[in-house]
Amino acid sequence: MSEEEQEMITKVEAPVYLKYNFTAGSAPTRFLAQIKKGVLAGQRCPKCLAVYIPTRGSCGRCGVPTVEEVELSDKATVQSFTIVSIPIPNNPIEPPFIIANVVPDGANVSFIHLMSECVNEEVHIGQRVQAVWKPEDEWGYSMDNIRYFKPLDEPDVPIELIGKLTVTGEEG
Amino acid sequence: MANLAAVVGIGQTSYTTKREDVSIAGLVREAAVNALEDADLTWNDIDAVILGKAPDMFEGVIMPEVYLTDALGCNGKPMIRVHTAGSVGGSTALVAASHVQSGMFKRVLTVSFEKQSESNAMWALSNPQPFSTHLNAGAGGYFAPIIREYLRRSNAPYDAGIKVAVKDRLHGARNPLAHLQKPDITMQEVEESFMLWDPLRYLECCPSSDGACAMVIADEELAKKSPKPPAWIRGVAMRSEPTMYAGRNEVNPQAGRDCAADVYKQAGVSNPRKDFDCAEVYVPFSWYEPMWLENLGFAPEGEGWKLTMEGATSLDENGDIPWNCSGGVLSSNPIGASGMIRFAEVARQVRGDAGEHQVDGAKLALGHAYGGGAQFFAMWVVGSQKS
Ligand SMILES: [Zn+2]
């Protein structure tokens, strides 16, 4: 092929890697220090009394700092969920798997985590679940200390009470 | 009191999976040149440039506005970059409008873009944070649970999302710029497509597109001299709310309701379904049509799906309030540009310049964009008349 006939090169892949050191800030530092000990710690808003996890140091509703720390249960309620079937490159989890928005007892907001040890088609809103932790010697400063949530043999939580249970799992 | 401003030029690229024939600079320039030609203007007629795109992590080009100054003819001219996640195309148009409404500039060029083929959006949206578990499930992993909650609250029939997916692709088949061209799509085809994030099927999700959109916005005096009819900007509003707070209504966000109320008040709209002739609303997943019909007050809470099922939002079914006549985000999704396309497409409608997807006699229309965890909202109302 002569020089003129060569196809123009329009794209080359040139991966660049950036490594970040994450500085947690005061509120996430407290959350991460507790989860390293296997404890789910939330923080209570002094104004509306809502309990946040993972805490970012303020109440998004009231715009005030949260200070008081509250130890939460690792039992939780499914607020909503999806069954993920899309294969995503480099994903360590084999689809299909469940991503659920779970509210731990004693908290008023949900966070997203995996659900496992369940029949995917039987997962439902209001279902009771509990954290399955990694072995203690693998705990770090990470939400990944919880491997996933598994179903609990407890009655469903009525819709209007999801996100309102006390730390002992009773109506708040 | 804001000065009057109007859209006097609109330029788009066609939308497609990979624009390998142009760089990012070539892509934005193509849209900008098209907008200038539409307005019968040259680079010298522009006072400032307002640029928007989704987060820099997408293409991995940090502060691309700096390198795009040459391509956008703004060496030595003021330029601003806008960031508001997926709503950015809409917010960018609003920032541009405000620079004219305030009297700061007489005529500005606004451009937004995404080159998804040079980016990895799924990766960019899933960078690990120690305080949440790393799930790497993409945008659908975040929005599907919210949609499931909408289904529970509204008791909508399971196929309302399928109907939106078909309707928007049939609209897109009228628009030669649309990425997906599926004139023969059927409910059955959508229903049988692969379930990605239950309850969202493959054909209920937006594609991944390359593309750019541009507009020229001018003050009243210059707009009157414009060769084509101006689209008068009758209302502008932005609102946002935190991603997470106790009691947040994720299905029907407060910020969206507040934003709509503000923009309707400015435009004198009391009954959106009746007062608007059409709307372009950011619907990247099918179920967001019924959800936003409610959030934007076109239907009572829990009843948005009824409008969808009745065909009220369909051009092909002669609906009274067609939504996303251009095919919407479900037919083309160059993320950073997707919001501006909504704003530009309603401007095309009220200028009577929307080709095969024109709504006959459209006089007043709503453009809408949302982004982040459905927490950033941008809206404008444009009309064929000044008031
Ligand atoms: Zn509060």
Side-chain angles (χ1 to χ4, degrees), chain A residues 3-15:
Chain A
E3 208 175 318
E4 291 90 288
E5 284 167 345
Q6 273 186 1
E7 266 187 48
M8 183 137 67
I9 296 167
T10 58
K11 190 175 165 184
V12 290
E13 284 202 22

Side-chain angles (χ1 to χ4, degrees), chain A residues 45-50 52 59-64:
Chain A
C45 171
K47 207 169 164 193
C48 71
L49 306 181
Y52 285 90
C59 174
R61 182 161 59 186
C62 307
V64 296

Side-chain angles (χ1 to χ4, degrees), chain A residues 119-138:
Chain A
V119 180
N120 288 352
E121 289 68 31
E122 291 174 5
V123 173
H124 54 274
I125 292 173
Q127 187 170 8
R128 295 286 290 156
V129 292
Q130 184 165 22
V132 174
W133 296 77
K134 283 181 179 171
E136 198 174 332
D137 57 0
E138 291 176 26

